[in-house]
Amino acid sequence: MGDFRFSFVLLGMSSHAELAERCREAERLGYDTVFAADHLGVPAPFPTLVAAAAATRRLRVGTLVLNAPFWNPALLAREVATTDLLTDGRLEVGLGAGYVKWEFDEAGIAWEPFGARADRLEATVDELTRLFAAGGYERQAALRESYGLPVLAPAQRRGFAGSGPPLLIGGMGDRTLRIAAERADIVGIAGTLQVKGRPPGTLRLATAAETDERVRYARERAGARADRIEWQTLVQMVRRTDDRRAAAEELSARYGGALSAEEVLDTPFVLIGTVEEMAERILRDRERYGFTYYTVHAPFLEEFAPVIERVRALAG
């Protein structure tokens, strides 16, 4: 089992100063990474990550996750390489297949069946790997040589078959998890499932039993790689309380009864209880699922911070 890492997803900001202070606070609280999402209505990921890295000393930055169908791979390669350079090699590239149909409609991007979106995700990984390994565009070689220009390439050589930043692929479906298991340095178990019969992007939390099955599936597809992969998960809710049962019943009602109170207490994607109880739960889930890279949403930044400290003390 690897060391724990902790991160948060930044979903909004009011100013550069507010962003910088939030990231510096996270660094002081012991977080390792700030992630930017890739949704309409939230800040654009790459400039946000450059600003976050500039405001901090050690905080890594990443995308959780880019919707592969939104991006032209050649242009995405330029964004990734530039951002990795400007953040001094602190970038982690998270990719997914996309799941919110209205965003595709609003952006004028064709909504395709999941299989086609998964194909696009895999093709994007292939093309980024090829471009990073190629050391630049051959047609630019003469221009670079005549002007003494450096090749635009990522600072890191850890992911994308040793040619770029670490690659994180997140999801819950068979195709996405297979691609992740075969190609990614970090496999993200997203923790949400599409509600059958509802519009695409209508999600519910996965139960503990469903998570067991999804992790087992991914580890089987990873084979010998499984123990070299870092296993990441996104916690949807953090609630510090002395009454776990009452909080679980409240959350069950908030989720429309999709999960019972018992299932809310058991799912790894909700943390409820005292700091000690939540820390012990994270240690148990490392043994059960292999999760060592925990991500929370920005509103839970302060509430989760004492849990980080306690987990590290218990694991140390």
Side-chain angles (χ1 to χ4, degrees):
M1 297 291 182
D3 293 335
F4 283 102
R5 289 204 293 157
F6 299 96
S7 54
F8 72 102
V9 183
L10 185 74
L11 293 174
M13 61 179 176
S14 59
S15 66
H16 176 270
E18 188 268 339
L19 167 68
E21 179 51 37
R22 174 56 62 94
C23 292
R24 285 193 287 265
E25 178 189 22
E27 191 170 53
R28 289 193 297 269
L29 291 173
Y31 286 86
D32 300 287
T33 310
V34 54
F35 283 114
D38 187 23
H39 293 294
L40 298 186
V42 303
F46 290 111
T48 299
L49 297 180
V50 171
T56 56
R57 294 182 297 104
R58 60 164 184 82
L59 202 66
R60 291 187 64 80
V61 299
T63 56
L64 195 71
V65 289
L66 297 177
N67 291 309
F70 285 7
W71 296 87
N72 174 293
L75 301 181
L76 178 57
R78 181 178 64 177
E79 296 287 335
V80 168
T82 302
T83 302
D84 199 37
L85 288 170
L86 292 178
T87 60
D88 295 322
R90 286 192 261 169
L91 179 64
E92 297 173 6
V93 180
L95 289 171
Y99 64 92
V100 184
K101 183 179 183 298
W102 75 260
E103 293 184 327
F104 285 71
D105 296 340
E106 196 75 19
I109 298 171
W111 174 258
E112 299 177 308
F114 177 74
R117 284 180 281 128
D119 288 343
R120 192 176 296 273
L121 167 63
E122 189 162 24
T124 298
V125 174
D126 288 340
E127 184 63 4
L128 291 176
T129 302
R130 186 190 71 81
L131 289 169
F132 294 150
Y137 294 98
E138 185 177 345
R139 294 182 183 182
Q140 272 195 327
L143 178 66
R144 289 200 311 269
E145 185 176 345
S146 63
Y147 285 96
L149 298 173
V151 172
L152 176 60
Q156 299 177 88
R157 294 290 187 271
R158 298 169 59 187
F160 294 96
S163 61
L167 171 62
L168 183 160
I169 296 178
M172 288 290 278
D174 285 0
R175 285 290 309 281
T176 305
L177 288 178
R178 179 185 61 76
I179 297 166
E182 293 174 354
R183 308 292 295 278
D185 307 287
I186 306 163
V187 173
I189 304 297
T192 53
L193 296 168
Q194 171 67 37
V195 177
K196 294 181 179 179
R198 299 291 300 278
T202 306
L203 306 175
R204 67 166 177 85
L205 288 177
T207 65
E210 289 168 331
T211 307
D212 284 328
E213 191 278 327
R214 292 288 77 196
V215 170
R216 181 167 55 250
Y217 175 88
R219 291 187 68 87
E220 287 173 355
R221 296 319 181 266
R225 296 185 69 243
D227 290 335
R228 300 195 300 272
I229 289 171
E230 187 173 25
W231 297 85
Q232 181 268 348
T233 191
L234 174 60
V235 175
Q236 300 291 333
M237 173 72 70
V238 178
R239 177 71 63 83
R240 282 166 59 186
T241 177
D242 293 326
D243 191 341
R244 297 182 72 241
R245 179 71 190 188
E249 289 174 351
E250 176 192 335
L251 291 176
S252 175
R254 181 185 299 185
Y255 295 140
L259 270 68
S260 67
E262 290 78 11
E263 289 173 325
V264 169
L265 288 172
D266 203 27
T267 180
F269 310 109
V270 173
L271 289 173
I272 303 174
T274 64
V275 168
E276 189 74 14
E277 287 171 333
M278 288 190 280
E280 291 175 351
R281 172 63 190 272
I282 286 172
L283 290 172
R284 290 197 303 272
D285 283 351
R286 179 175 66 172
E287 297 300 319
R288 180 171 180 174
Y289 306 111
F291 297 153
T292 59
Y293 197 178
Y294 274 80
T295 306
V296 299
H297 292 293
F300 305 115
L301 191 75
E302 292 85 0
E303 191 165 9
F304 188 60
V307 182
I308 294 175
E309 183 178 2
R310 187 57 182 150
V311 168
R312 286 180 168 147
L314 290 173

